[in-house]
Amino acid sequence: MKVILNKDLATLGEEGDVKDVAAGYARNFLFPRGIALVYNERTKKIFEERREEIEGRKALKRQDASGLKEKLEALSLVLVMPAGSNGKLYGAVTAQTITDELTKNGFQIERKKIEIPGNTIKSTGKYNVLIKLYESAVAECSITIEGQPVKTETKAPAAPQRRGRRDNPPGPRGEGTPPVNSGEGAAVQDNPVTPVTENSRSPADSEHSEE
């Protein structure tokens, strides 16, 4: 389906552009939001009458892009990333990484407008990335990637575990403690019986024996 854009849409085009889109996309998204109209003789005439107004807005966009280009090319970004001693990064610098860094510096740049040589940066050094602005305006931004050494923690060797004595292994309940005597057995041990001898007889016993 052929439509004419009534508003700018970053993923499709600018106001006044004529585009071929899927019918479902037009009916379900573009038309309900007023982003586009069906392209026909009537809408074509409407936009012809608005042509001067549309071109005036485009001229302002070109002027803004020119000023933004100068600011971006004067900017020198420095990114500090974890890296090894050989300069290899523990990861990669992507377009999203640069977008986030530009946001910190006050620039709102979409990720898809940033072009990195090789798509990603995986080593320290100086690089130039391209940033598409408006129409043919492209800014060349300088980026320096510095390595941050990664600290590695050394663990102390584990102390050897001492094994318990196996002379008296713990039982299921005793936990290795000696048994405790109780009851009659304990009484016998506490009060031992003294054996009777001839010399130990009492005088009463001697008198009974003489009778």
Side-chain angles (χ1 to χ4, degrees):
M1 175 182 287
K2 186 172 286 189
V3 300
I4 186 167
L5 294 182
N6 193 39
K7 299 177 181 178
D8 292 351
L9 185 62
T11 56
L12 192 59
E14 294 182 274
E15 179 185 8
D17 291 350
V18 177
K19 299 289 181 179
D20 283 316
V21 298
Y25 177 57
R27 287 193 297 265
N28 298 326
F29 182 77
L30 298 178
F31 296 161
R33 290 166 174 77
I35 297 174
L37 301 172
V38 176
Y39 180 73
N40 52 34
E41 289 300 322
R42 183 180 66 85
T43 55
K44 180 181 178 181
K45 184 177 180 181
I46 292 174
F47 278 89
E48 285 295 336
E49 294 173 355
R50 293 171 51 187
R51 181 60 55 191
E52 185 176 347
E53 178 187 345
I54 294 172
E55 288 300 327
R57 283 196 283 270
K58 288 185 176 181
L60 288 176
K61 292 177 185 177
R62 294 186 190 100
Q63 185 177 349
D64 291 341
S66 177
L68 182 57
K69 178 179 178 343
E70 292 179 4
K71 292 179 180 178
L72 287 172
E73 292 185 342
L75 180 68
S76 182
L77 294 178
V78 178
L79 297 177
V80 180
M81 305 289 291
S85 57
N86 58 355
K88 295 292 183 182
L89 302 181
Y90 291 105
V93 175
T94 64
Q96 185 60 53
T97 310
I98 297 173
T99 296
D100 295 339
E101 193 65 23
L102 287 171
T103 300
K104 294 177 184 178
N105 285 270
F107 297 95
Q108 299 297 326
I109 304 294
E110 295 180 42
R111 176 182 56 83
K112 65 180 182 178
K113 291 185 176 182
I114 298 174
E115 291 185 358
I116 300 175
N119 295 325
T120 59
I121 299 172
K122 298 182 179 180
S123 301
T124 57
K126 292 186 177 181
Y127 300 87
N128 290 326
V129 298
L130 300 180
I131 302 175
K132 297 179 180 179
L133 300 175
Y134 181 70
E135 293 181 339
S136 60
V138 178
E140 189 172 352
C141 187
S142 173
I143 296 180
T144 301
I145 311 297
E146 295 181 354
Q148 181 182 42
V150 178
K151 296 181 180 180
T152 57
E153 296 182 358
T154 57
K155 295 183 179 180
Q161 297 181 354
R162 295 183 179 180
R163 296 184 179 180
R165 295 183 61 183
R166 303 184 63 181
D167 298 340
N168 187 18
R173 293 186 180 180
E175 298 296 334
T177 57
V180 178
N181 293 324
S182 60
E184 296 179 358
V188 171
Q189 291 180 358
D190 294 340
N191 300 297
V193 178
T194 304
V196 179
T197 62
E198 284 294 329
N199 297 329
S200 64
R201 290 184 180 181
S202 61
D205 293 337
S206 300
E207 290 177 2
H208 286 296
S209 60
E210 290 177 358
E211 290 178 356

